[in-house]
Amino acid sequence: MKSTQIKNLFDGCINYSYKDFIDEIDKKSGSDPSAIFLVSSPRVGSTFLYQQIINKLGCCYISNFTNDFFSATPAFGMYLETSARGEQHQVKYQSEYGKTGGLFETSEASAVFANWFGGTHPSETQSCDFHCNASKTHMYKSIKAFNTVTNSTFVTKNPWNSFRISAISKALPNALFVWIRRSIDRAALSDLENRYKRGDPGKIWNSATTKDYIEIQTRPYWEQVVLQQASYSRAISASLAKLPESNWTQVWYEDLCDSPDTAVKIVYDLASARHHPVSWSPAKALERNEVSNNTRLIRDYEKDYEKITRFIDSRDDLKNLLYSACHSVS
């Protein structure tokens, strides 16, 4: 049966029964929802980490199927999907700028989160909190339903959530946050490549907008991509600093490429310490083309990369966001 046919079958009753469905699960479960939120700036390898966590920790996630057809009733989508494909499912280590193909592959769940938080710009100030208490309750009970129908911890990644850490942590006391980071020069270059592919690199903005994005867009394009990364970093760092250390950790993309198992084990240890239901199942060895650290990209955009690195070298606050500088003190 096609996904659209499945949706049509449930259209007549979902809106009527979804509240009853998540309310019933909420009453039967006394514990708070179990969830892991990946937060990051764009182009730092968050999709790859997301997929690794799903495959190695046995976490549930919002797929393209649920996001596209059941964004207002995501626990129904997850329930139908689990029934259709079975509980055991390995996602593919493939994506194009965070987007995946296939109904049951990973989604950033933008439509689902828009129902709870909206999508107004600048994201950092206008889409950082719930629409209302009803939206917060809907998310809380939906994620608890995810846990119940899959018997696993929920994991998700969406750069917009990088500006929602405070709101999410208050709504979900047991939520864990994983900050996936990447050396600012490499992340900025990858972001610039995406801008070129979408149009004028001086006018394109990728992903959620920081509170200073209009000011950033007055700068040369090679500075824009660096300043966007830095602005994300400041916002995430400030929000995580307000949380208990037991509620968050960080993973570097460079380490993830070097040893995926070691990097993902950091997330497993964090979740296990907080008694979240996760398993540890290292996957088969990755093929060489499944990870990349921009070597070819630097050659393709050598002049732009030189401009990026010169700009970073001119400012200590930016140099401190390079992998070697940060990793040595992390």
Side-chain angles (χ1 to χ4, degrees):
M1 183 177 289
K2 295 182 179 179
S3 58
T4 51
Q5 293 175 314
I6 295 173
K7 180 179 183 296
N8 290 336
L9 284 174
F10 282 82
D11 267 347
C13 64
I14 278 180
N15 290 331
Y16 172 76
S17 62
Y18 187 74
K19 182 178 183 301
D20 294 337
F21 178 70
I22 60 177
D23 282 350
E24 185 66 22
I25 290 176
D26 185 46
K27 290 176 183 177
K28 291 181 178 179
S29 174
S31 59
D32 286 317
S34 172
I36 300 171
F37 289 82
L38 305 186
V39 294
S40 70
S41 56
R43 311 304 308 140
V44 298
S46 58
T47 302
F48 183 50
L49 179 60
Y50 183 27
Q51 294 161 337
Q52 287 278 328
I53 290 172
I54 291 166
N55 286 347
K56 295 180 179 179
L57 272 60
C59 292
C60 64
Y61 62 97
I62 293 173
S63 68
N64 293 321
F65 170 76
T66 295
N67 183 69
D68 293 349
F69 299 107
F70 293 91
S71 60
T73 55
F76 273 153
M78 192 173 293
Y79 177 77
L80 288 169
E81 175 185 337
T82 302
S83 300
R85 62 169 170 76
E87 292 185 4
Q88 299 299 320
H89 177 66
Q90 292 280 298
V91 297
K92 298 176 182 177
Y93 295 126
Q94 297 175 357
S95 70
E96 185 174 356
Y97 300 111
K99 307 297 182 183
T100 63
L103 275 181
F104 299 152
E105 296 304 314
T106 55
S107 170
E108 291 191 343
S110 294
V112 176
F113 281 103
N115 283 325
W116 297 328
F117 293 94
T120 307
H121 296 282
S123 317
E124 185 176 354
T125 56
Q126 299 301 311
S127 301
C128 60
D129 208 347
F130 295 96
H131 289 303
C132 57
N133 284 333
S135 299
K136 178 165 63 176
T137 300
H138 191 280
M139 185 190 78
Y140 179 95
K141 292 182 179 180
S142 291
I143 294 179
K144 184 179 283 193
F146 298 166
N147 299 153
T148 300
V149 301
T150 66
N151 194 32
S152 64
T153 295
F154 171 61
V155 64
T156 187
K157 82 101 185 178
N158 189 314
W160 290 65
N161 289 337
S162 301
F163 305 127
R164 300 165 177 164
I165 294 170
S166 177
I168 292 170
S169 63
K170 291 176 183 176
L172 303 173
N174 285 340
L176 303 177
F177 296 89
V178 179
W179 183 9
I180 171 69
R181 307 182 65 180
R182 186 181 195 175
S183 193
I184 191 171
D185 55 338
R186 302 300 180 92
L189 183 63
S190 184
D191 196 10
L192 183 57
E193 179 197 36
N194 193 359
R195 287 189 177 207
Y196 272 119
K197 291 188 175 182
R198 293 178 57 204
D200 183 345
K203 297 179 180 179
I204 297 293
W205 183 281
N206 291 322
S207 196
T209 44
T210 59
K211 61 185 179 182
D212 55 352
Y213 84 105
I214 293 178
E215 177 186 345
I216 289 175
Q217 287 183 309
T218 66
R219 309 291 287 268
Y221 66 84
W222 61 89
E223 293 184 8
Q224 288 185 36
V225 289
V226 173
L227 294 173
Q228 179 183 3
Q229 294 286 331
S231 194
Y232 262 89
S233 182
R234 285 193 298 270
I236 295 170
S237 180
S239 294
L240 292 178
K242 297 176 183 177
L243 302 183
E245 292 184 1
S246 59
N247 282 59
W248 69 278
T249 190
Q250 62 182 10
V251 172
W252 284 85
Y253 176 70
E254 287 79 2
D255 295 337
L256 181 64
C257 288
D258 184 58
S259 178
D261 282 357
T262 301
V264 178
K265 187 67 161 51
I266 294 173
V267 183
Y268 171 77
D269 290 342
L270 175 72
S272 295
R274 294 298 302 271
H275 306 291
H276 287 291
V278 290
S279 58
W280 177 242
S281 302
K284 66 180 179 65
L286 297 170
E287 303 210 358
R288 293 182 64 86
N289 62 359
E290 290 179 324
V291 296
S292 168
N293 205 21
N294 285 114
T295 302
R296 177 179 295 179
L297 191 58
I298 290 173
R299 292 199 301 267
D300 292 343
Y301 297 96
E302 187 171 355
K303 291 183 178 179
D304 283 329
Y305 188 62
E306 290 175 357
K307 293 176 182 177
I308 286 171
T309 55
R310 282 200 301 269
F311 179 52
I312 293 171
D313 287 341
S314 71
R315 290 176 43 170
D316 288 341
D317 62 324
L318 299 177
K319 285 192 289 187
N320 287 335
L321 297 177
L322 293 166
Y323 169 74
S324 58
C326 286
H327 195 63
S328 63
V329 296
S330 296

